[in-house]
Structures are given as structure tokens and as C-alpha cells.
Amino acid sequence: MAPAFTLPDADGNEVSLSAHKGRKVIVYFYPAALTPGCTKQACDFTDNLDLLAGAGFDVIGISPDQPEKLAKFREKESLKVTLLADPEKKVTEAYGAYGEKKNYGKTYLGVIRSTIVVDEEGKVERALYNVRATGHVAKIIKDLGI
């Protein structure tokens, strides 16, 4: 089963995974709002939101940012995906999307860019870790047969 969560969105409203029961949910974890890779990924999800929604998928992006930063991100990039704040990284950790990363030969702890597909019953259908920001949404659409 996918770990249950309730987190604030960009407007401070609580959003729960359980509210999406009966629909498939793509939950994606990204390191930081307003950065180039995360912007590309969020824009790709927004550009494909109608296609995904038509196939029965809701999309939720989760990062350690505060709701205020998520609101700026949404406004600046005209994002339509639901963005949730996980500053304590509890949900990110529960999904295995926080851990050791390597960048330029240095090892550190951080958010691992990940995408989890949750089915209508709340079970993890597939989990993808260390995904690339560019081209990832197209790959998911192809892999899901949409």
C-alpha cells in the first residue's frame, strides 16, 4: 500500500492521498521549486495534465518547499498540477524518495527525483527512482500506455 499522507498545498489547504481513492495518482517528488530541472518537470506534467486526467490520473508534486514558495512557483510557471509541501520530508522519506545522492563526486542527503504511480485502491503500481527531469513525463505516458 502507498503510505497515506496529508500535506498543505500551495494555498495552505490540506490535501490527502485518500481523497483520490478511485482514481490513479502520479505522485512525483522533486528537490526544489523554481530550479531549472524541477521547472521543466512541472511544466511537462502541466502540459500533459489533460491527457493524464483523461486517462484517469491525478498528478501531485511533492517537495520540501514551504507553501509560499510553491505558490510563487505555480504563479511564475502557470502550473496546473497540485503542489504539496513536505518541509519535514516525512512523506518523501516514507516513499523512499529521500536519501544519499551523488553530484560532482560529492555524496550528500537530498530528495531523489522519483515518481510513484498509485492505483485506484491506494496500492503502489510502480515506483521509479533517480528519474531525469527532461523527457520523464513522455516516458511515463509511454510506459503507462496512454
Side-chain angles (χ1 to χ4, degrees), residues 5-11 13-17 20 27-30 59-67 70 81-87 91-92:
F5 62 79
T6 300
L7 292 170
D9 68 8
D11 300 312
N13 301 312
E14 299 281 303
V15 175
S16 298
L17 179 63
H20 295 267
V27 182
Y28 78 96
F29 295 89
Y30 62 99
V59 179
I60 297 173
I62 298 177
S63 76
D65 299 302
Q66 293 293 336
L70 296 178
V81 295
T82 300
L83 300 174
L84 302 183
D86 185 22
V91 175
T92 306

Side-chain angles (χ1 to χ4, degrees), residues 134-146:
T134 306
H136 177 60
V137 176
K139 183 180 179 337
I140 287 177
I141 289 168
K142 184 175 175 236
D143 289 353
L144 294 174
I146 300 172

Side-chain angles (χ1 to χ4, degrees), residues 21-93:
K21 199 164 174 76
R23 287 186 57 84
K24 292 185 178 200
V25 185
I26 295 171
V27 182
Y28 78 96
F29 295 89
Y30 62 99
L34 300 167
T35 57
C38 298
T39 298
K40 174 77 178 118
Q41 187 178 22
C43 288
D44 280 354
F45 271 118
T46 292
D47 292 346
N48 288 286
L49 201 56
D50 289 343
L51 177 70
L52 290 164
F57 289 89
D58 295 333
V59 179
I60 297 173
I62 298 177
S63 76
D65 299 302
Q66 293 293 336
E68 301 77 30
K69 188 173 179 188
L70 296 178
K72 282 184 193 149
F73 187 33
R74 181 185 63 199
E75 303 312 316
K76 182 174 188 268
E77 303 298 337
S78 302
L79 301 175
K80 293 188 180 80
V81 295
T82 300
L83 300 174
L84 302 183
D86 185 22
E88 293 173 11
K89 302 175 200 72
K90 285 188 168 43
V91 175
T92 306
E93 286 177 8

